[in-house]
PDB file of all heavy atoms in Angstrom:
ATOM      1  N   TYR A 963      81.982 135.217  90.847  1.00 91.00           N
ATOM      2  CA  TYR A 963      82.694 135.701  89.651  1.00 91.00           C
ATOM      3  C   TYR A 963      82.448 137.201  89.423  1.00 91.00           C
ATOM      4  O   TYR A 963      82.193 137.635  88.314  1.00 91.00           O
ATOM      5  CB  TYR A 963      82.253 134.895  88.426  1.00 91.00           C
ATOM      6  CG  TYR A 963      82.709 133.456  88.490  1.00 91.00           C
ATOM      7  CD1 TYR A 963      81.887 132.476  89.042  1.00 91.00           C
ATOM      8  CD2 TYR A 963      83.961 133.084  88.016  1.00 91.00           C
ATOM      9  CE1 TYR A 963      82.309 131.160  89.128  1.00 91.00           C
ATOM     10  CE2 TYR A 963      84.392 131.766  88.094  1.00 91.00           C
ATOM     11  CZ  TYR A 963      83.562 130.809  88.656  1.00 91.00           C
ATOM     12  OH  TYR A 963      83.993 129.508  88.744  1.00 91.00           O
ATOM     13  N   GLY A 964      82.477 137.989  90.524  1.00 88.00           N
ATOM     14  CA  GLY A 964      82.229 139.425  90.391  1.00 88.00           C
ATOM     15  C   GLY A 964      80.736 139.710  90.383  1.00 88.00           C
ATOM     16  O   GLY A 964      79.924 138.819  90.125  1.00 88.00           O
ATOM     17  N   GLN A 965      80.361 140.986  90.663  1.00 85.00           N
ATOM     18  CA  GLN A 965      78.948 141.352  90.813  1.00 85.00           C
ATOM     19  C   GLN A 965      78.104 141.002  89.599  1.00 85.00           C
ATOM     20  O   GLN A 965      76.934 140.653  89.713  1.00 85.00           O
ATOM     21  CB  GLN A 965      78.834 142.852  91.102  1.00 85.00           C
ATOM     22  CG  GLN A 965      79.056 143.220  92.555  1.00 85.00           C
ATOM     23  CD  GLN A 965      78.156 142.432  93.508  1.00 85.00           C
ATOM     24  OE1 GLN A 965      76.947 142.368  93.318  1.00 85.00           O
ATOM     25  NE2 GLN A 965      78.754 141.821  94.517  1.00 85.00           N
ATOM     26  N   THR A 966      78.709 141.105  88.403  1.00 89.00           N
ATOM     27  CA  THR A 966      77.908 140.841  87.196  1.00 89.00           C
ATOM     28  C   THR A 966      78.428 139.622  86.433  1.00 89.00           C
ATOM     29  O   THR A 966      78.148 139.458  85.248  1.00 89.00           O
ATOM     30  CB  THR A 966      77.938 142.078  86.273  1.00 89.00           C
ATOM     31  OG1 THR A 966      79.316 142.371  85.982  1.00 89.00           O
ATOM     32  CG2 THR A 966      77.283 143.282  86.921  1.00 89.00           C
ATOM     33  N   GLY A 967      79.231 138.824  87.107  1.00 86.00           N
ATOM     34  CA  GLY A 967      79.776 137.626  86.445  1.00 86.00           C
ATOM     35  C   GLY A 967      80.878 137.965  85.474  1.00 86.00           C
ATOM     36  O   GLY A 967      81.188 137.198  84.565  1.00 86.00           O
ATOM     37  N   GLU A 968      81.513 139.164  85.677  1.00 92.00           N
ATOM     38  CA  GLU A 968      82.508 139.635  84.706  1.00 92.00           C
ATOM     39  C   GLU A 968      83.874 138.973  84.883  1.00 92.00           C
ATOM     40  O   GLU A 968      84.701 138.993  83.982  1.00 92.00           O
ATOM     41  CB  GLU A 968      82.646 141.178  84.790  1.00 92.00           C
ATOM     42  CG  GLU A 968      83.347 141.737  86.031  1.00 92.00           C
ATOM     43  CD  GLU A 968      82.462 141.817  87.273  1.00 92.00           C
ATOM     44  OE1 GLU A 968      81.337 141.289  87.231  1.00 92.00           O
ATOM     45  OE2 GLU A 968      82.893 142.395  88.282  1.00 92.00           O
ATOM     46  N   GLU A 969      84.119 138.363  86.076  1.00 91.00           N
ATOM     47  CA  GLU A 969      85.435 137.766  86.317  1.00 91.00           C
ATOM     48  C   GLU A 969      85.504 136.350  85.748  1.00 91.00           C
ATOM     49  O   GLU A 969      84.506 135.645  85.675  1.00 91.00           O
ATOM     50  CB  GLU A 969      85.725 137.712  87.826  1.00 91.00           C
ATOM     51  CG  GLU A 969      85.673 139.063  88.525  1.00 91.00           C
ATOM     52  CD  GLU A 969      86.783 139.994  88.074  1.00 91.00           C
ATOM     53  OE1 GLU A 969      87.795 139.507  87.549  1.00 91.00           O
ATOM     54  OE2 GLU A 969      86.609 141.215  88.225  1.00 91.00           O
ATOM     55  N   GLN A 970      86.711 135.951  85.385  1.00 90.00           N
ATOM     56  CA  GLN A 970      86.915 134.601  84.832  1.00 90.00           C
ATOM     57  C   GLN A 970      87.226 133.588  85.927  1.00 90.00           C
ATOM     58  O   GLN A 970      87.036 132.400  85.766  1.00 90.00           O
ATOM     59  CB  GLN A 970      88.097 134.615  83.835  1.00 90.00           C
ATOM     60  CG  GLN A 970      87.845 135.436  82.595  1.00 90.00           C
ATOM     61  CD  GLN A 970      86.625 134.935  81.825  1.00 90.00           C
ATOM     62  OE1 GLN A 970      86.518 133.757  81.530  1.00 90.00           O
ATOM     63  NE2 GLN A 970      85.692 135.842  81.539  1.00 90.00           N
ATOM     64  N   LYS A 971      87.724 134.123  87.065  1.00 91.00           N
ATOM     65  CA  LYS A 971      88.231 133.221  88.096  1.00 91.00           C
ATOM     66  C   LYS A 971      87.387 133.330  89.363  1.00 91.00           C
ATOM     67  O   LYS A 971      87.042 134.427  89.791  1.00 91.00           O
ATOM     68  CB  LYS A 971      89.687 133.615  88.415  1.00 91.00           C
ATOM     69  CG  LYS A 971      90.571 132.456  88.723  1.00 91.00           C
ATOM     70  CD  LYS A 971      92.002 132.898  88.972  1.00 91.00           C
ATOM     71  CE  LYS A 971      92.661 132.102  90.065  1.00 91.00           C
ATOM     72  NZ  LYS A 971      92.055 132.168  91.361  1.00 91.00           N
ATOM     73  N   LEU A 972      87.064 132.183  89.952  1.00 93.00           N
ATOM     74  CA  LEU A 972      86.315 132.143  91.211  1.00 93.00           C
ATOM     75  C   LEU A 972      87.077 132.895  92.301  1.00 93.00           C
ATOM     76  O   LEU A 972      88.288 132.721  92.418  1.00 93.00           O
ATOM     77  CB  LEU A 972      86.164 130.670  91.628  1.00 93.00           C
ATOM     78  CG  LEU A 972      85.516 130.380  92.959  1.00 93.00           C
ATOM     79  CD1 LEU A 972      84.007 130.482  92.834  1.00 93.00           C
ATOM     80  CD2 LEU A 972      85.896 128.990  93.444  1.00 93.00           C
ATOM     81  N   ASP A 973      86.369 133.725  93.073  1.00 93.00           N
ATOM     82  CA  ASP A 973      87.056 134.479  94.115  1.00 93.00           C
ATOM     83  C   ASP A 973      86.266 134.451  95.419  1.00 93.00           C
ATOM     84  O   ASP A 973      85.079 134.767  95.456  1.00 93.00           O
ATOM     85  CB  ASP A 973      87.243 135.941  93.654  1.00 93.00           C
ATOM     86  CG  ASP A 973      88.076 136.719  94.647  1.00 93.00           C
ATOM     87  OD1 ASP A 973      89.098 136.186  95.116  1.00 93.00           O
ATOM     88  OD2 ASP A 973      87.680 137.857  94.990  1.00 93.00           O
ATOM     89  N   ILE A 974      86.951 134.048  96.493  1.00 96.00           N
ATOM     90  CA  ILE A 974      86.374 134.052  97.849  1.00 96.00           C
ATOM     91  C   ILE A 974      87.293 134.932  98.696  1.00 96.00           C
ATOM     92  O   ILE A 974      88.518 134.863  98.566  1.00 96.00           O
ATOM     93  CB  ILE A 974      86.300 132.600  98.396  1.00 96.00           C
ATOM     94  CG1 ILE A 974      85.214 131.822  97.642  1.00 96.00           C
ATOM     95  CG2 ILE A 974      86.020 132.576  99.893  1.00 96.00           C
ATOM     96  CD1 ILE A 974      85.127 130.354  97.974  1.00 96.00           C
ATOM     97  N   PRO A 975      86.724 135.774  99.565  1.00 95.00           N
ATOM     98  CA  PRO A 975      87.588 136.675 100.351  1.00 95.00           C
ATOM     99  C   PRO A 975      88.534 135.911 101.288  1.00 95.00           C
ATOM    100  O   PRO A 975      88.221 134.793 101.714  1.00 95.00           O
ATOM    101  CB  PRO A 975      86.594 137.509 101.173  1.00 95.00           C
ATOM    102  CG  PRO A 975      85.257 137.219 100.643  1.00 95.00           C
ATOM    103  CD  PRO A 975      85.312 135.965  99.849  1.00 95.00           C
ATOM    104  N   GLU A 976      89.652 136.539 101.652  1.00 97.00           N
ATOM    105  CA  GLU A 976      90.589 135.907 102.599  1.00 97.00           C
ATOM    106  C   GLU A 976      89.986 135.879 103.994  1.00 97.00           C
ATOM    107  O   GLU A 976      89.242 136.779 104.376  1.00 97.00           O
ATOM    108  CB  GLU A 976      91.896 136.698 102.624  1.00 97.00           C
ATOM    109  CG  GLU A 976      92.668 136.508 101.349  1.00 97.00           C
ATOM    110  CD  GLU A 976      94.077 137.085 101.404  1.00 97.00           C
ATOM    111  OE1 GLU A 976      94.393 137.760 102.389  1.00 97.00           O
ATOM    112  OE2 GLU A 976      94.827 136.839 100.447  1.00 97.00           O
TER     113      GLU A 976
END
Side-chain angles (χ1 to χ4, degrees):
Y963 292 92
Q965 278 307 309
T966 57
E968 72 280 9
E969 302 293 339
Q970 294 301 309
K971 216 178 142 299
L972 175 80
D973 186 44
I974 289 174
E976 289 189 352

